[in-house]
Amino acid sequence: MSHEDNLRDLETDIKLDLSERQNYGGYLCLDRLLSAQKPLSHPEHHDEMLFIIQHQTSELWLKLIIHELKAAIDWIQQHRLGKASKILARVKQIQKQLFEQWAVLETLTPSEYVQFRGVFGNASGFQSLQYRQVEFLLGNKNKKMLSVFPEGSVSRRVLQSVLEAPSVYDVFIRYLDEKDYPLDDDLVHRDYTEPHRYNESLMKALLEVYRHPEHHWTVYALCEQLVDVEESFQLWRFRHMKTVERIIGFKTGSGGSSGVGFLKKALELTFFPELLKLRTEL
């Protein structure tokens, strides 16, 4: 068989006019997306491109998680728990992508990192607006985080709105109340700008769900999806901490935090304490 026999002609219906907005590059805005990687090291250090793309890709996945969590909240408010469960199953798969990405960054050695570490100054993942939105949407509210963003800035207004809105757990609790599960009134009508705190009435209601899942199946299924999302988030946090430990050891973080120590403290935070504690009580 000759080399020419291995060449295929283009199918006649393939569109070759690349001037239309509907072509692949145009639809995905690849001209802007692929020109957004701008290393600052001079001469440009080879590994800075990895560092930039790693974090840009993470921000894209975080954008999708925010999109999905807001949809899950809407579905729960409409009493469509099956739809919300489907959304949360997708969130879990997105979280897997974020988790696995750390393996790529871990190919960056300490010797390579220090050669361009100084070029991005005080920039830090601690300043990620989208990460804070995800935490707030899951219920880890913290008013102090608003101060990370300048007064009057768009970023601060966005985070303020998420701070004041109910989290996915809040709307789930409201759903339980509307379905006549016995819950404390101050839990159902709480201040959404504060983090959720363990509540005994919610614990009792969820224990009933888990003791008789066949009678509460849609609620039971949604609970397990929430547990999956929390576990995946904690695994991501742990992998983040271990990656930082591997690359910079116990140095101070770029944004001024204690670095590994700060990330270890975050592992103690929980979104859905009743869903975790009930496993001991069953």
Side-chain angles (χ1 to χ4, degrees):
M1 179 182 291
S2 68
H3 172 69
E4 288 74 12
D5 291 332
N6 288 325
L7 299 177
R8 293 186 299 166
D9 291 331
L10 286 174
E11 295 179 5
T12 57
D13 289 335
I14 290 179
K15 298 187 182 301
L16 300 178
D17 180 4
L18 300 184
S19 64
E20 298 178 15
R21 170 66 174 85
Q22 287 76 20
N23 69 59
Y24 181 77
Y27 176 70
L28 297 177
C29 299
L30 292 182
D31 55 341
R32 283 186 287 163
L33 184 65
L34 299 180
S35 63
Q37 295 72 48
K38 302 182 186 299
L40 296 178
S41 53
H42 185 77
E44 181 180 326
H45 190 278
H46 174 80
D47 296 302
E48 191 181 355
M49 183 65 76
L50 160 64
F51 194 78
I52 291 171
I53 290 177
Q54 169 85 23
H55 289 82
Q56 287 180 337
T57 307
S58 295
E59 289 293 331
L60 285 172
W61 285 126
L62 289 173
K63 182 174 184 176
L64 185 55
I65 289 178
I66 292 167
H67 176 73
E68 301 295 349
L69 288 177
K70 287 181 176 179
I73 287 171
D74 287 343
W75 285 124
I76 295 171
Q77 289 174 324
Q78 296 176 45
H79 291 196
R80 303 286 297 277
L81 265 59
K83 291 278 192 179
S85 289
K86 170 67 165 58
I87 290 288
L88 293 175
R90 178 180 291 170
V91 169
K92 181 174 63 176
Q93 296 303 320
I94 300 167
Q95 290 175 302
K96 283 185 179 180
Q97 303 305 310
L98 283 165
F99 179 86
E100 292 298 337
Q101 279 188 199
W102 291 120
V104 183
L105 192 61
E106 285 176 349
T107 65
L108 181 68
T109 68
S111 300
E112 292 163 344
Y113 180 61
V114 296
Q115 294 182 56
F116 66 87
R117 163 61 189 85
V119 302
F120 53 84
N122 293 323
S124 167
F126 182 81
Q127 301 152 5
S128 169
L129 171 63
Q130 294 197 127
Y131 174 79
R132 294 302 164 199
Q133 288 183 75
V134 170
E135 280 208 319
F136 283 13
L137 286 166
L138 290 173
N140 185 28
K141 303 290 186 73
N142 186 342
K143 296 176 184 176
K144 293 179 180 178
M145 290 302 167
L146 293 176
S147 63
V148 173
F149 306 97
E151 187 86 39
S153 66
V154 173
S155 295
R156 186 156 179 166
R157 288 198 297 271
V158 168
L159 194 58
Q160 179 81 44
S161 68
V162 181
L163 176 71
E164 295 172 355
S167 70
V168 66
Y169 206 38
D170 289 324
V171 296
F172 176 56
I173 290 168
R174 181 64 66 91
Y175 169 88
L176 294 176
D177 178 66
E178 291 170 355
K179 291 295 184 179
D180 296 325
Y181 287 81
L183 300 175
D184 294 338
D185 190 65
D186 59 354
L187 169 67
V188 178
H189 303 287
R190 72 182 197 84
D191 179 0
Y192 293 143
T193 66
E194 296 294 330
H196 171 80
R197 292 179 175 83
Y198 174 84
N199 180 273
E200 189 63 30
S201 70
L202 178 58
M203 178 69 170
K204 290 178 180 177
L206 293 175
L207 273 172
E208 176 65 19
V209 170
Y210 273 74
R211 284 175 176 143
H212 306 284
E214 65 278 4
H215 299 311
H216 310 270
W217 187 258
T218 55
V219 171
Y220 175 74
L222 185 68
C223 287
E224 284 299 286
Q225 292 290 1
L226 289 172
V227 172
D228 283 347
V229 169
E230 166 142 357
E231 180 180 343
S232 296
F233 198 93
Q234 293 289 52
L235 289 171
W236 180 84
R237 276 175 168 162
F238 179 78
R239 189 73 181 270
H240 181 192
M241 182 267 292
K242 296 304 291 184
T243 300
V244 171
E245 183 180 57
R246 175 174 177 151
I247 296 176
I248 70 168
F250 288 83
K251 295 188 184 77
T252 300
S254 57
S257 74
S258 57
V260 169
F262 177 80
L263 296 173
K264 282 184 177 179
K265 289 179 183 177
L267 293 172
E268 300 171 2
L269 300 173
T270 182
F271 298 121
F272 318 124
E274 295 83 3
L275 288 174
L276 298 181
K277 185 177 179 182
L278 69 79
R279 280 142 169 82
T280 305
E281 302 295 325
L282 276 175

